[in-house]
Amino acid sequence: MTYPFGAVVGMDDMRLALLLNAVSPAIGGVLVRGEKGTAKSTTVRALAAVLPPVAVVPGCRFACDPAAPDPACPDGPHEPGAPAQTRPARLVELPVGASEDRVVGSLDLERALTEGVKAFEPGLLAAAHRGVLYVDEVNLLHDHLVDLLLDAAALGTAYVEREGVSVRHAARFLLVGTMNPEEGELRPQLLDRFGLTVEVAAPRDPAVRAEVVRRRFAYDADPAGFAAAWAGEEAALAERIAGARARLPHVVLSDAALQQVTAVCAAFDVDGLRADLVTARAAVAHAAWAGRDEVTEDDVRVAARLALPHRRRRNPFDAPGLDDDTLDQALEDSRPEPGPDEDPPPPPDGPDDDGGGAPPPRDDTPRADGDPSPAEEGRSRDDGPPDEGEGRGGAPAGERAAVAPSDPFRARRLEVPGVGAGAAGRRSKARAERGRVVGSVRPNGPVTRLHLVGTVLAAAPHQTARGRTGPGLRVAREDLRQATLEGREGNLVLFVVDASGSMGSRARMGAVKGAVLSLLLDAYQRRDKVGLVTFRGADAGLALPPTWSVEAAAARLRELPTGGRTPLAAGLLRAADTLRVERVRDPQRRPLLVVVTDGRATGPRGTDALGAAHAAAQRLAADGTAAVVVDCESGPVRLGLAGVLGAHLGAQTLRLEELAAESLAATVRSVREAA
């Protein structure tokens, strides 16, 4: 796996996770998270070169093993002990834009209905059987396709169901997904289905980076010579994988080792029992890889570090990770008590005093009279009016430090009106590949979703002319109807947030940030792209271009300072420019503009700032942009400027407290009670 430069980029965890899955595919695959340009794809593709070759039944499209052929193979039945053909293990790549039929295979419905022939065209799952299935940018793959992959990887079988006709075939493969977290996260439910996960990053050592560049130049200059130089190491690695596979069934997982596995999983409070199973399998594979016949504490430690970090996330904004001290303590607590003739285990490294470790360091930094201590700095300060003088730490006039958001809540669903045709999601109505049947159309190509009633109705008037005499229905190609499905799509949710001094006290801005954070969490769950425009001071800025990474938007929101003037028109114009670019880049994804403001607008003396803002709003409305205005105005006296802005935008206006789903439920209950 050194081809061309995987050994020098500091990705030992990634190499080990891939090798453990090569030894025991039952672990459940690997998810590799890392920044761009870290050789994730190169390392995965290098894995296929060191996997042992496989023996297959000649001519079988499903790579059946001659020693134990699949009894349900669509190309079967195959007789056990049939002649074998040996070929290298395959690496099958699944493109992000693949359809469900391309992944699992498809039935030829036309031949099934008109000729009574069950013709099946295998998909990528069949091609990857007994090899590697690689999904680059797995976080951008549609959720239902990720579910299909993980189900097949867990069951070892792929199922294709179409209008009462079903096909199943074996699909056991090593699943590897790579992703850049900056482009969005996988849902925690899908994260949990990957056996192991690793984080990779480019090395920061200049000497290591120089070696990477040197090897890359050597490969570009002579690919064949470079491969030949590393052929010996790759052959040795392939031999070691084959030896570990042979040793795997004989590795013993003792009760004591299993107790350590379950103790570690319980210590990290992971949900369900999948973590225990994966950790145990990975520990057994690591023992086989290390040449041992019994699982040790070291095997459990390595397995836990690879199997548990991504299972500790409690909400989408939590970063995966594992605390080494908690892991050490869990392993220590689960060690069996030493017998009377055994020496107790050595104490952990550290001081020998009775205090259990060194006291926390003191902060002896001298302070002027009246300066707060670090503990006092962390306490909340009284909310006050916008500070028009110099900000803390020498900040510009009118600027105040970022305010922490309040606790998020479950937000009500905001939708784009009409029916779209964008990528699958959970927000607005759309024509989709999955959903409820709402009608039928004549297909332009092959039929993939047969509308049975529509087909029968189209064929019924022609039965006499076609000479039907028996009970069967005579169906022609022109009778076939494709089902139209209505599901949900993901949208581009562009937030335009007022961060000016008009937003009032720190408590109010904290509530505003908490509300936007709640909407971001909702966008994550509904598979939306998000962007963030902020306006304050003299202008507006695109704080975050449209992205899949809701985490990045949440981080920018938390760091957002406040204060200064209210250039509302500039914020709306910046939003219009951003949406215009996105319409060219992603024309099928419909936008939803969420403007968070109290409706006030200020500008240079002598200008009509409010009129300019309303003109910008009318421009957005003329473009057909769906919008929602979140009114942040508070206090007993309200000017209602946000409602006026919403009228110019053609948008729904909601007060801040009306964003919660509980608020909507209470309104519905009150209406029903009044009726």
Side-chain angles (χ1 to χ4, degrees):
M1 295 182 64
T2 54
Y3 176 68
F5 52 85
V8 297
V9 293
M11 294 190 293
D12 292 339
D13 284 349
M14 179 179 176
R15 295 179 71 249
L16 180 59
L18 291 171
L19 291 170
L20 293 183
N21 272 271
V23 172
S24 176
I27 290 172
V30 185
L31 175 65
V32 183
R33 298 161 43 92
E35 58 196 25
K36 52 188 174 293
T38 49
K40 300 186 295 294
S41 300
T42 302
T43 307
V44 173
R45 293 187 179 104
L47 177 65
V50 297
L51 291 177
V54 295
V56 299
V57 174
C60 178
R61 297 173 296 168
F62 301 87
C64 278
D65 185 352
D70 179 14
C73 176
D75 283 355
H78 306 299
E79 292 295 329
Q85 175 185 349
T86 301
R87 62 163 174 77
R90 288 175 178 165
L91 174 72
V92 176
E93 297 192 37
L94 192 154
V96 170
S99 66
E100 183 175 338
D101 289 336
R102 181 73 183 99
V103 174
V104 299
S106 60
L107 292 171
D108 191 334
L109 294 176
E110 296 177 27
R111 295 187 63 191
L113 288 173
T114 58
E115 303 175 28
V117 176
K118 187 169 70 174
F120 178 70
E121 184 65 30
L124 296 176
L125 295 183
H129 179 46
R130 305 176 68 198
V132 181
L133 181 60
Y134 172 46
V135 188
D136 194 13
E137 308 293 355
V138 65
N139 51 326
L140 303 184
L141 197 65
H142 290 174
D143 281 357
H144 73 280
L145 293 182
V146 179
D147 280 327
L148 284 174
L149 294 181
L150 295 173
D151 282 340
L155 300 174
T157 305
Y159 294 89
V160 183
E161 303 285 346
R162 289 289 188 276
E163 282 71 39
V165 182
S166 63
V167 173
R168 62 163 294 276
H169 63 83
R172 292 182 293 275
F173 47 82
L174 195 168
L175 177 63
V176 184
T178 57
M179 59 175 282
N180 183 352
E182 294 176 355
E183 297 173 340
E185 284 283 2
L186 279 173
R187 291 187 290 121
Q189 296 91 329
L190 298 179
L191 274 176
D192 181 61
R193 301 282 293 280
F194 277 94
L196 309 179
T197 186
V198 291
E199 299 275 344
V200 296
R204 299 298 182 251
D205 185 348
V208 176
R209 297 172 75 98
E211 180 63 16
V212 172
V213 175
R214 195 175 295 116
R215 292 194 187 188
R216 179 71 212 197
F217 280 5
Y219 171 76
D220 291 340
D222 184 9
F226 186 89
W230 292 98
E233 288 196 20
E234 289 193 346
L237 187 58
E239 185 176 351
R240 186 177 174 186
I241 292 174
R245 282 186 174 182
R247 187 179 298 108
L248 184 70
H250 308 291
V251 175
V252 176
L253 178 66
S254 65
D255 288 342
L258 179 57
Q259 183 70 25
Q260 286 191 311
V261 168
T262 55
V264 167
C265 294
F268 285 105
D269 195 26
V270 294
D271 295 332
L273 293 174
R274 185 177 285 118
D276 304 65
L277 292 169
V278 170
T279 306
R281 288 169 178 158
V284 172
H286 188 263
W289 174 251
R292 290 189 288 269
D293 294 326
E294 186 171 356
V295 173
T296 66
E297 182 177 306
D298 180 61
D299 299 320
V300 176
R301 182 189 303 276
V302 171
R305 292 175 63 87
L306 296 174
L308 299 184
H310 61 301
R311 294 185 164 89
R312 298 196 61 230
R313 300 182 71 189
R314 285 295 176 265
N315 69 69
F317 302 140
D318 290 341
L322 204 67
D323 181 63
D324 287 336
D325 292 338
T326 305
L327 177 59
D328 292 339
Q329 188 63 48
L331 290 171
E332 181 180 345
D333 292 344
S334 61
R335 287 179 189 139
E337 292 293 332
D341 299 329
E342 298 179 24
D343 294 330
D349 294 338
D352 295 330
D353 59 285
D354 295 333
R362 295 174 54 191
D363 184 2
D364 295 327
T365 306
R367 297 183 179 85
D369 292 341
D371 283 355
S373 65
E376 292 167 340
E377 278 286 351
R379 298 174 187 161
S380 62
R381 300 176 176 86
D382 293 336
D383 296 325
D387 184 4
E388 297 300 334
E390 184 180 65
R392 289 185 179 88
E399 179 175 309
R400 287 170 287 139
V403 179
S406 61
D407 293 335
F409 50 81
R410 189 168 68 91
R412 66 194 296 177
R413 181 169 65 193
L414 307 177
E415 295 187 30
V416 178
V419 180
R426 291 185 174 86
R427 184 169 298 279
S428 306
K429 291 181 179 179
R431 298 283 184 259
E433 293 184 359
R434 297 169 72 89
R436 64 187 183 93
V437 178
V438 294
S440 64
V441 294
R442 287 187 105 171
N444 294 323
V447 179
T448 56
R449 301 279 181 183
L450 181 72
H451 192 279
L452 189 57
V453 174
T455 300
V456 171
L457 290 176
H462 308 290
Q463 297 306 296
T464 302
R466 292 172 184 169
R468 173 188 168 189
T469 57
L473 186 69
R474 295 202 170 186
V475 180
R477 170 70 180 84
E478 60 269 18
D479 301 328
L480 299 179
R481 294 295 181 268
Q482 177 88 1
T484 335
L485 306 181
E486 183 177 277
R488 294 276 174 180
E489 66 177 357
N491 298 110
L492 165 60
V493 183
L494 182 62
F495 293 92
V496 181
V497 179
D498 185 350
S500 66
S502 72
M503 295 300 287
S505 67
R506 292 171 61 85
R508 181 178 171 193
M509 194 61 200
V512 169
K513 285 189 175 183
V516 178
L517 194 64
S518 303
L519 292 172
L520 284 171
L521 180 61
D522 182 69
Y524 170 86
Q525 294 167 339
R526 301 191 187 283
R527 309 300 292 162
D528 297 316
K529 289 179 74 173
V530 296
L532 179 62
V533 172
T534 63
F535 58 94
R536 54 183 292 276
D539 203 358
L542 184 60
L544 184 72
T547 175
W548 292 103
S549 181
V550 176
E551 296 82 358
R556 301 288 172 87
L557 180 70
R558 289 190 179 99
E559 298 165 359
L560 179 65
T562 59
R565 292 181 174 178
T566 313
L568 176 57
L572 296 175
L573 291 174
R574 179 58 62 95
D577 292 342
T578 303
L579 294 178
R580 185 178 65 252
V581 173
E582 283 301 305
R583 285 191 184 98
V584 175
R585 183 177 298 162
D586 193 357
Q588 294 297 321
R589 187 172 296 274
R590 296 189 294 163
L592 175 63
L593 187 69
V594 179
V595 184
V596 185
T597 180
D598 56 9
R600 292 181 173 89
T602 59
R605 190 181 300 276
T607 61
D608 182 7
L610 205 56
H614 293 165
Q618 291 169 356
R619 171 182 164 183
L620 283 162
D623 290 339
T625 304
V628 174
V629 175
V630 179
D631 184 1
C632 302
E633 192 173 26
S634 61
V637 179
R638 297 173 182 265
L639 301 178
L641 294 177
V644 177
L645 176 67
H648 286 288
L649 275 170
Q652 180 185 14
T653 301
L654 298 172
R655 291 172 59 177
L656 200 60
E657 56 270 22
E658 293 176 335
L659 284 178
E662 290 77 7
S663 171
L664 177 61
T667 302
V668 172
R669 283 195 301 270
S670 63
V671 170
R672 287 177 177 172
E673 291 170 359

